[in-house]
Amino acid sequence: MKRLLLCLLIIFYSLAGHAQQMPDWTPLNDEAKRHLINLLNIDTSLPEPDELAAARYIYKEFNKHGIDWDIFIPRQGRANLMARIKGKDPAKKPLLLISHLDTAPAAEGWSFPPFKATVENGKIYGLGATDAKNYTAAYLALFTWLKDQKTLPERDLIFLATSGEESGSATGLLWLGGEHWDKIKPGFALNEGGGIIKNKDGKDIVFAEASTKMYMDIKVTAFGTGVHSSMPVNDNAVYLLSQALAKIAAYNPPAKLTPTARTFFKAIKPLLDEDAQTTIGFLLSGNLQNRQSAADVMALDPFFRTQLKDTLNPTVLSASKDTGSTSGEASAVLNVRLLPGSDPDEFFENLTKLFSPDEPISLEIMERPQLPFPTPMDGTDPLFASIEKTAKKLVPDSITVPGMSPASGDNEFLRKLGVVTYGLGPDMDPLSENTAHGADEFISEKDFFHQLQFIAGVVFDFAYGKDLLPLTPQTAPAPAVEKTAE
């Protein structure tokens, strides 16, 4: 009996010691959370983002882990930071982990301080929590952890935090592509833009951003009579502008089915109810009239509309700055997102046709897309294969599809430089949970840790060929129920 007890104790302590040695995600999660909080506490908002302070925080972390880094400064206060982990096979093209340091300006209506991280009820609040300091923090934690491992990647792994993405990338990727690309030169890249679309009634969708829409700004101006505010006039410029915007709001651009949208809708069709499947069937294979009718029905959903139509939204409004007088001009900026393949000049011409020559309305293009637009990713490359493989491990019973982001960003420029690029992101609801650029921007700790693990899983598979930490499914499948004889 004593010998049996001794053997059991030896086995118990052996198993306990083995369990303690099993790696888990807690240290990596804690590091990523620490980095996110510290980065949120650095104000990198437009119009003058202090990107250098954020870069300084990152390279101090690199110094702790013996990581060499390069900093590229286009002008005072602006900064791009790069680091590299060398791989074993120089013939394999490097994988780039890219994010941007700047944020949009703080919107009005914050109930938390935008430039000081607040952790409350499992959520991390702060300007940039989802766009894109969550990416920077996740990459930084993963990159330093990988540097400390004894295992070398098969290919180079590059960290790049860029400047100016929110204002056109003139101090960031566009500048780097022209001045310093020979020092970076990735073949593949992971960036922002995608996410996991949760489906309560069926399979989740891992949305790997494979294309973006084209960015365009149009200014519409109404001309009226500027007088003292006590004197009402029929041609008040603000009223004329509101009437012009009403015409624009009623404008319904024709639907266009891009190759990326076709792939997306074909993939999600089996997940939807019978009516939706019939509608998508008309969209994919019906005649022209049926395709347009199906697209108009589907465009009632705001996200589907972004996939099928050119869209526009009024943003900045301006008129008189004095309550005691009316301005002779009132204007609005229309932010336009065009589908790949759309003609910017044709879209602009169709808008101008909404107004007769004698109406006191003018339209002008403030910013137009840079053509030619890059070819979207099609999901046939090895990086997408690693994304799909990781999704099967982490999001059981999901489908992985290359999709088009309604927004724009650096992925467009990476693809123009010949880099196979996909956007990955946290769990998302395109409408109710998208707080980027809004007040009280936040990411839940759960979603942030899931995002970190997903990115890591892709890096493990694509750059190392094996999982360096155990990947845990987000939602474990229900156990099988064995039938028993009655």
Side-chain angles (χ1 to χ4, degrees):
M1 179 64 71
K2 289 181 179 179
R3 180 174 293 178
L4 177 61
L5 287 173
L6 180 62
C7 289
L8 289 173
L9 285 171
I10 291 172
I11 292 171
F12 172 79
Y13 284 114
S14 175
L15 290 174
H18 177 70
Q20 289 175 357
Q21 293 172 6
M22 286 291 288
D24 66 49
W25 287 86
T26 302
L28 200 53
N29 288 343
D30 290 345
E31 274 293 273
K33 180 180 175 181
R34 178 175 72 87
H35 293 323
L36 178 55
I37 289 171
N38 289 337
L39 288 167
L40 290 174
N41 291 339
I42 302 171
D43 182 359
T44 59
S45 64
L46 293 175
E48 291 298 330
D50 190 2
E51 297 159 340
L52 188 57
R56 188 176 294 114
Y57 171 81
I58 295 169
Y59 70 61
K60 286 181 179 179
E61 293 295 321
F62 285 158
N63 291 342
K64 296 176 185 177
H65 297 267
I67 298 174
D68 291 332
W69 47 269
D70 288 300
I71 192 164
F72 307 102
I73 299 177
R75 65 172 188 259
Q76 185 176 358
R78 312 305 294 270
N80 302 268
L81 188 72
M82 186 196 76
R84 184 186 300 261
I85 297 175
K86 295 292 291 184
K88 292 186 287 187
D89 189 351
K92 291 186 175 181
K93 294 182 178 179
L95 172 63
L96 172 68
L97 304 178
I98 180 173
S99 62
H100 59 90
L101 297 172
D102 61 318
T103 72
E108 295 181 0
W110 278 76
S111 53
F112 299 96
F115 306 117
K116 181 174 175 56
T118 302
V119 182
E120 187 172 297
N121 296 325
K123 296 177 180 179
I124 305 172
Y125 293 87
L127 186 61
T130 59
D131 187 13
K133 292 184 177 182
N134 55 322
Y135 293 86
T136 307
Y139 294 160
L140 177 56
L142 178 62
F143 201 83
T144 52
W145 184 86
L146 290 171
K147 181 63 170 63
D148 293 342
Q149 305 309 301
K150 296 179 180 179
T151 304
L152 290 178
E154 295 296 319
R155 64 180 80 234
D156 285 8
L157 191 61
I158 304 170
F159 173 102
L160 181 62
T162 65
S163 165
E165 189 272 350
E166 295 289 0
S167 55
S169 299
T171 58
L173 198 58
L174 279 177
W175 178 73
L176 290 171
E179 299 292 330
H180 299 286
W181 203 240
D182 59 321
K183 299 176 184 176
I184 306 171
K185 272 193 174 177
F188 303 87
L190 293 177
N191 194 9
E192 62 179 334
I196 300 171
I197 303 176
K198 308 301 286 186
N199 183 5
K200 296 179 182 178
D201 302 318
K203 295 183 178 182
D204 294 336
I205 300 170
V206 177
F207 186 91
E209 187 268 274
S211 179
T212 65
K213 299 186 83 169
M214 299 188 293
Y215 185 101
M216 186 177 185
D217 279 330
I218 296 174
K219 184 178 181 180
V220 54
T221 304
F223 300 93
T225 300
V227 295
H228 193 278
S229 59
S230 64
M231 298 295 295
V233 291
N234 292 331
D235 62 342
N236 182 295
V238 174
Y239 289 150
L240 296 176
L241 176 65
S242 65
Q243 293 163 13
L245 292 177
K247 283 187 179 182
I248 292 170
Y251 174 58
N252 185 25
K256 301 169 189 174
L257 191 62
T258 66
T260 306
R262 176 177 287 277
T263 300
F264 175 74
F265 285 117
K266 185 177 180 180
I268 70 170
K269 180 182 175 183
L271 310 182
L272 305 176
D273 60 32
E274 184 177 351
D275 288 343
Q277 288 188 30
T278 300
T279 305
I280 290 181
F282 282 129
L283 176 73
L284 298 177
S285 58
N287 60 38
L288 179 60
Q289 182 177 353
N290 285 341
R291 289 202 303 270
Q292 287 293 333
S293 297
D296 284 336
V297 170
M298 294 177 65
L300 296 175
D301 177 275
F303 181 71
F304 285 171
R305 188 187 312 158
T306 68
Q307 304 297 296
L308 293 168
K309 292 175 178 282
D310 299 325
T311 61
L312 73 169
N313 261 320
T315 54
V316 181
L317 301 174
S318 59
S320 176
K321 297 181 181 179
D322 175 19
T323 60
S325 64
T326 65
S327 174
E329 295 182 12
S331 64
V333 176
L334 306 175
N335 181 238
V336 180
R337 307 290 173 135
L338 300 175
L339 292 166
S342 290
D343 184 337
D345 292 323
E346 181 182 351
F347 182 88
F348 180 74
E349 183 179 350
N350 288 336
L351 278 188
T352 60
K353 288 179 180 178
L354 298 176
F355 306 98
S356 62
D358 59 344
E359 288 186 81
I361 303 294
S362 75
L363 284 82
E364 62 175 315
I365 297 175
M366 299 175 65
E367 183 173 344
R368 65 171 59 244
Q370 298 185 21
L371 300 178
F373 201 69
T375 303
M377 304 292 97
D378 61 6
T380 61
D381 53 84
L383 181 55
F384 185 83
S386 287
I387 294 171
E388 194 168 28
K389 184 176 178 181
T390 303
K392 289 178 180 177
K393 297 176 183 177
L394 289 175
V395 194
D397 202 30
S398 64
I399 64 167
T400 305
V401 295
M404 179 177 62
S405 169
S408 312
D410 279 345
N411 291 348
E412 171 190 344
F413 306 127
L414 285 166
R415 292 178 186 127
K416 283 184 178 180
L417 290 164
V419 182
V420 175
T421 305
Y422 288 96
L424 297 178
D427 297 357
M428 67 175 188
D429 182 319
L431 293 178
S432 64
E433 294 180 359
N434 184 2
T435 58
H437 292 211
D440 291 343
E441 183 179 355
F442 76 90
I443 188 168
S444 76
E445 293 184 61
K446 175 178 68 70
D447 290 348
F448 180 50
F449 296 151
H450 286 169
Q451 178 188 5
L452 169 63
Q453 190 169 161
F454 200 108
I455 292 167
V458 176
V459 173
F460 292 164
D461 185 76
F462 189 72
Y464 289 82
K466 60 181 180 180
D467 292 337
L468 303 182
L469 283 173
L471 301 183
T472 305
Q474 292 188 11
T475 304
V481 178
E482 295 184 4
K483 292 184 179 180
T484 57
E486 296 181 357

